[in-house]
Amino acid sequence: MPAPKKTARRFLLVTSAALSSLALAVPAAVAAPKPSDSPSASASPSASPSATPPATMSTVGGARLGKPGTQVNLASGVPVLPKDLSARSWIVADAESGDVLASHNAHWRLAPASTLKMLFADTLLPKFPRDTKHKVVPSDLAGIGPGSSMVGIKEDETYTVHDLWLGIFLQSGNDAVHVLSAMNKGVENTVKEMNEHAEEIQALDTHVVSPDGYDAEGQVSSAYDLTLIARSGMQKKDFREYASTVTAKFPGETKKGKKGKKVRKPFEIRNTNRLLAGDADVPVYQGIAGVKNGNTTNAGATFTGVAERDGKVLLVTVMNPEKPEHNEVYKETARLFDWGFKAAGKVQPVGELVPPRDAAQSGAQPGANPSGEAGGSGDGGSATAGPGAKPVAGAPAADGTSGIWTALGITGGVLVLLAGGAFLVNRRWPLPDLVRRRTRP
């Protein structure tokens, strides 16, 4: 774990890539996910699209990223890539420098499923203070697609914004997305703002139709874009907290208890990100700190994760593994993380994660912390989980029990400096000292 004094130890130069025309690839169709797969936004029927990437794709971030197939600079001392990868598209990037270490069809525009909720959160998190309360009315829940993943929001019940974000990040609740969208002047306005924000951060492969990621005609993103979106979101303190929370208490339905008194008991919700929470065939990944998973008929399984090891922070996105194995998206992500941590510092990058447009056009001051804490500016400090939340991102205790975990929720600020179009960044998101996982009051 790097010492705090080292968190600003280096600045890395990233040149903003020139944008070229984008080619639209229709999302790939796969069989409906098994019930045992991680829940997410569920699917609607769609026509069978192309199963191969286009010959020409966007070159945002570098010319090689626009080429189909695997892009990597193998050389002496660089480990070979895992041989059993089946995903249609994937990317491994250094979260700090923005270097893309390797990729496969990085700009292929595919259905994103609930990984699109990262863009929803990155767009809306700063708008509402987390303690804001909202009473749900029937119109708030209108238009939710059949079979959607739900956290269990009830009409006429009151929830805080904090509750709603926990429902989105942990349970991928489309009901929570629709309630927050209603608070944000409706779904149509929210979709408009998400598309505008995607353009601002140069996620130009992305087109939003439904804010929850539910399959919709024309709704696409790419492994490159989802990685950009995650990188942007992780600079927000609240985003980091929610992304690293494994379990939390969610308000239940108000019922009459003994003696006729009204009682509202909370129930536990658990993060469906298997690398964060674990599963029978997937251990918690060492150093994991989020971010978001998804699964729909049209998208298959999708996942973007962030992890830290030996002072290095990596982002990995995997879209639609073709292997039918249970939890395959997490298994392939873990293998790519393993490769990335071994290859970091040895492999020449094949491209870069470009900066947001406002960073390339305005003069942000060095050391300034980005806005992002819900209802205010991020202070760059450690995010404290709200009531009922259990933040985590790490391996279980040495004895294998699940009662003690290490907290690796990524915290900290971002130093940004602009000079003549060059984007100088120190994207150290310092991880806090190890903390025992405990129940929050």
Side-chain angles (χ1 to χ4, degrees):
M1 190 69 60
K5 66 182 180 181
K6 294 183 180 178
T7 60
R9 69 184 182 274
R10 69 183 187 276
F11 287 91
L12 299 168
L13 177 62
V14 181
T15 351
S16 186
L19 302 180
S20 66
S21 61
L22 304 176
L24 176 64
V26 193
V30 295
K34 299 176 183 178
S36 58
D37 286 347
S38 302
S40 184
S42 290
S44 58
S46 62
S48 297
S50 172
T52 58
T56 304
M57 294 176 279
S58 167
T59 57
V60 172
R64 289 189 64 177
L65 300 182
K67 296 180 179 180
T70 301
Q71 307 299 320
V72 64
N73 288 319
L74 293 179
S76 178
V78 177
V80 296
L81 286 164
K83 297 185 183 298
D84 51 353
L85 300 174
S86 68
R88 292 177 181 268
S89 177
W90 55 259
I91 192 169
V92 181
D94 186 312
E96 298 169 13
S97 69
D99 288 341
V100 176
L101 307 185
S103 70
H104 181 75
N105 301 326
H107 280 291
W108 192 1
R109 302 179 79 184
L110 300 167
S114 283
T115 48
L116 195 66
K117 289 183 172 81
M118 295 188 297
L119 179 60
F120 177 80
D122 196 33
T123 304
L124 265 65
L125 259 173
K127 290 194 167 194
F128 305 106
R130 60 196 291 153
D131 57 355
T132 299
K133 294 182 179 180
H134 178 79
K135 186 174 183 179
V136 176
V137 297
S139 60
D140 293 346
L141 301 175
I144 298 175
S148 286
S149 54
M150 311 279 267
V151 68
I153 289 174
K154 303 296 182 182
E155 295 177 7
D156 300 321
E157 294 285 7
T158 298
Y159 301 86
T160 65
V161 165
H162 175 69
D163 295 329
L164 297 174
W165 284 121
L166 286 171
I168 290 168
F169 275 86
L170 275 66
Q171 290 287 289
S172 207
N174 288 7
D175 46 357
V177 169
H178 277 256
V179 172
L180 277 168
S181 295
M183 294 173 64
N184 192 50
K185 301 179 182 179
V187 168
E188 184 177 349
N189 179 65
T190 299
V191 167
K192 174 177 174 288
E193 291 183 357
M194 288 173 68
N195 281 317
E196 290 172 348
H197 187 60
E199 185 174 350
E200 168 57 33
I201 64 175
Q202 303 207 59
L204 302 179
D205 295 328
T206 300
H207 179 67
V208 182
V209 178
S210 179
D212 51 20
Y214 193 93
D215 283 340
E217 186 70 28
Q219 181 155 276
V220 290
S221 190
S222 66
Y224 182 89
D225 277 17
L226 293 174
T227 308
L228 274 187
I229 293 164
R231 192 186 194 209
S232 177
M234 290 300 289
Q235 294 176 62
K236 294 176 172 62
K237 189 174 77 169
D238 282 359
F239 191 106
R240 295 190 299 269
E241 175 198 328
Y242 294 128
S244 65
T245 299
V246 174
T247 61
K249 296 295 184 182
F250 193 82
E253 188 175 4
T254 300
K255 297 180 179 180
K256 284 188 178 181
K258 295 179 179 179
K259 299 181 180 179
K261 290 185 178 181
K262 290 185 178 180
V263 178
R264 192 181 188 191
K265 293 183 179 180
F267 57 92
E268 185 173 275
I269 57 175
R270 187 173 184 84
N271 204 311
T272 56
N273 172 355
R274 304 308 188 202
L275 291 189
L276 187 73
D279 203 0
D281 57 342
V282 177
V284 173
Y285 190 81
Q286 181 185 354
I288 191 72
V291 176
K292 190 72 187 76
N293 58 313
N295 202 327
T296 69
T297 297
N298 211 30
T302 60
F303 179 66
T304 297
V306 63
E308 185 272 349
R309 191 176 295 175
D310 298 327
K312 182 67 67 176
V313 183
L314 299 182
L315 285 160
V316 172
T317 295
V318 173
M319 301 187 76
N320 195 353
E322 296 184 315
K323 282 185 180 180
E325 303 295 327
H326 182 246
N327 283 328
E328 182 64 21
V329 72
Y330 303 107
K331 295 172 183 176
E332 296 194 16
T333 298
R335 290 195 286 273
L336 285 169
F337 267 129
D338 288 344
W339 177 86
F341 285 121
K342 292 176 183 176
K346 300 175 183 176
V347 66
Q348 285 291 113
V350 295
E352 65 181 11
L353 302 178
V354 296
R357 282 180 174 166
D358 62 354
Q361 295 170 358
S362 64
Q365 296 299 314
N369 289 310
S371 175
E373 182 180 6
S377 60
D379 62 6
S382 177
T384 302
K390 300 177 184 178
V392 70
D399 63 359
T401 64
S402 60
I404 301 175
W405 297 50
T406 55
L408 299 174
I410 291 181
T411 62
V414 178
L415 304 178
V416 179
L417 176 65
L418 300 168
F423 186 47
L424 291 170
V425 299
N426 173 16
R427 293 190 181 272
R428 282 301 304 161
W429 296 316
L431 302 178
D433 292 335
L434 300 184
V435 178
R436 290 185 184 276
R437 184 181 187 225
R438 60 188 183 276
T439 302
R440 302 278 177 173

